[in-house]
Amino acid sequence: MKIFNLIACLLFIFSAALQYNDPDPYIWVPIYLYGAWFCFQYFKGKYFPKAYLAGILVYAVYAAFLFFDKTGVINWYHDHQAENIVQSMKATKPWIEETREFGGLLILIIVLAIDYISLRRKKPALTK
């Protein structure tokens, strides 16, 4: 799990760095750095179960918004026939931008959930 978290931490830092040209970096840099920080803490052997749950909850609410938004994932899938979201790094269409953002949140949720579940199995007393 330590190597998994070190790799996830580095990938989230890299993802945060890529947000410099995003239309809303003030939202996405902290989102990715939150995940990176807790992966790094897990790597160091420090655990914050309530912070993992808070991150998962906030990310899930935002992901649900992006999924159902009028230019979100459903719109991308139905109205734009699941258009290629990696055709260029500059997202000029809102449904591509929101679908990519949804994917980033999903990755963050999965990583934090894996850590939280692993934490509960390792240290049940810490999760109370």
Side-chain angles (χ1 to χ4, degrees):
M1 282 301 292
K2 283 189 161 212
I3 299 300
F4 169 78
N5 277 283
L6 181 60
I7 291 169
C9 175
L10 294 173
L11 288 174
F12 292 151
I13 290 170
F14 181 68
S15 297
L18 290 176
Q19 300 305 311
Y20 73 93
N21 67 346
D22 197 69
D24 48 4
Y26 51 88
I27 295 173
W28 288 96
V29 169
I31 285 175
Y32 281 118
L33 290 180
Y34 186 89
W37 175 254
F38 285 102
C39 287
F40 182 67
Q41 293 304 309
Y42 192 104
F43 174 77
K44 290 184 357 180
K46 297 181 180 177
Y47 309 105
F48 305 94
K50 290 180 183 177
Y52 285 101
L53 288 177
I56 291 168
L57 178 65
V58 170
Y59 294 160
V61 168
Y62 194 19
F65 170 76
L66 292 174
F67 190 81
F68 294 108
D69 188 39
K70 67 179 181 175
T71 58
V73 177
I74 291 177
N75 177 267
W76 163 75
Y77 184 78
H78 285 291
D79 298 344
H80 302 283
Q81 294 71 42
E83 182 180 354
N84 185 356
I85 62 171
V86 294
Q87 58 191 336
S88 79
M89 286 313 294
K90 185 112 173 111
T92 56
K93 302 168 186 168
W95 56 89
I96 290 177
E97 178 73 11
E98 290 197 16
T99 301
R100 287 178 181 173
E101 290 173 348
F102 174 82
L105 288 170
L106 198 59
I107 292 168
L108 283 157
I109 290 168
I110 290 168
V111 170
L112 289 181
I114 288 170
D115 282 355
Y116 182 77
I117 291 167
S118 170
L119 166 65
R120 286 189 58 89
R121 289 183 180 165
K122 275 177 131 176
K123 309 248 184 205
L126 288 177
T127 60
K128 294 181 180 173

